[in-house]
Amino acid sequence: RFSAADRGPYEIPFPNRDALLRPNARLFDLATALRRRQEGLRTELDIPVTIRRTIEGGGFPAVSLKRTTLPPNYLFLIDEQAPHSHQAQLYRYLLEFLRGQDVHVVAFWYKKNPLRFWNEQYPKGLSLEQVNRLYPYYRLLVLGDGHAMLDPFAQEGTALQDEYATIFRRWKNRLLLTPRAAGDWTFEE
């Protein structure tokens, strides 16, 4: 008697309002800090300093070397628990903003358990080992709670599972950013 004319699930077509967003000045500060060049692996002759020191030394050669610099590259591994969640949309907005500010960012998504990582270039996904082989010198940022990577049988406190710990240690610079508020932290954080 009261049957519905159609079936769910329903989707409410909210219009995209991204054009109304105004980035905060702190976002620009973040982009500036992320663009700050890092020291490279190569050294080269610093000609102006060598000439100046040679003149100051009365003509005796005083060779000066300097390290090259290069722009940093960032690898974001993002926990996408639901593709249309507010958190996923926030991360997408942040990625687009940083890319628009000339920050070199490569992003991969995963769902809760970081076994497969995908993006537009690798829609079928890659393992963490493969991601590490492709981007070994990138600065790693994991955006998610990371609970699936924890060893549930750790004897002393909280520890990563061995397979994750081994691979994550290969990245020299790594950071976990959790979306949980500090007041909601448990022993896992």
Side-chain angles (χ1 to χ4, degrees), residues 152-171:
F153 305 107
Q155 297 297 322
E156 297 179 19
T158 306
L160 285 177
Q161 295 176 30
D162 289 338
E163 59 268 18
Y164 293 121
T166 302
I167 296 172
F168 282 128
R169 281 190 195 109
R170 295 178 192 165
W171 276 289

Side-chain angles (χ1 to χ4, degrees), residues 30-45:
L30 172 67
T32 301
L34 292 178
R35 278 194 314 266
R36 198 165 292 131
R37 296 178 71 87
Q38 65 186 16
E39 189 175 80
L41 300 173
R42 218 178 54 214
T43 57
E44 60 185 26
L45 181 65

Side-chain angles (χ1 to χ4, degrees), residues 62-124:
V63 177
S64 180
L65 301 175
K66 68 177 178 179
R67 286 219 182 240
T68 58
T69 62
L70 50 114
N73 296 307
Y74 295 92
L75 173 63
F76 283 32
L77 302 179
I78 303 170
D79 186 0
E80 178 188 53
Q81 297 188 8
H84 300 294
S85 72
H86 290 87
Q87 184 174 319
Q89 296 300 331
L90 172 66
Y91 290 149
R92 283 187 179 86
Y93 173 78
L94 180 62
L95 286 171
E96 291 306 313
F97 176 79
L98 292 175
R99 287 177 178 148
Q101 296 296 312
D102 294 327
V103 176
H104 300 271
V105 178
V106 174
F108 281 88
W109 300 86
Y110 68 96
K111 282 198 191 274
K112 195 72 176 157
N113 196 349
L115 296 175
R116 298 304 277 160
F117 299 89
W118 71 89
N119 62 10
E120 299 82 27
Q121 190 176 0
Y122 300 99
K124 293 190 184 222

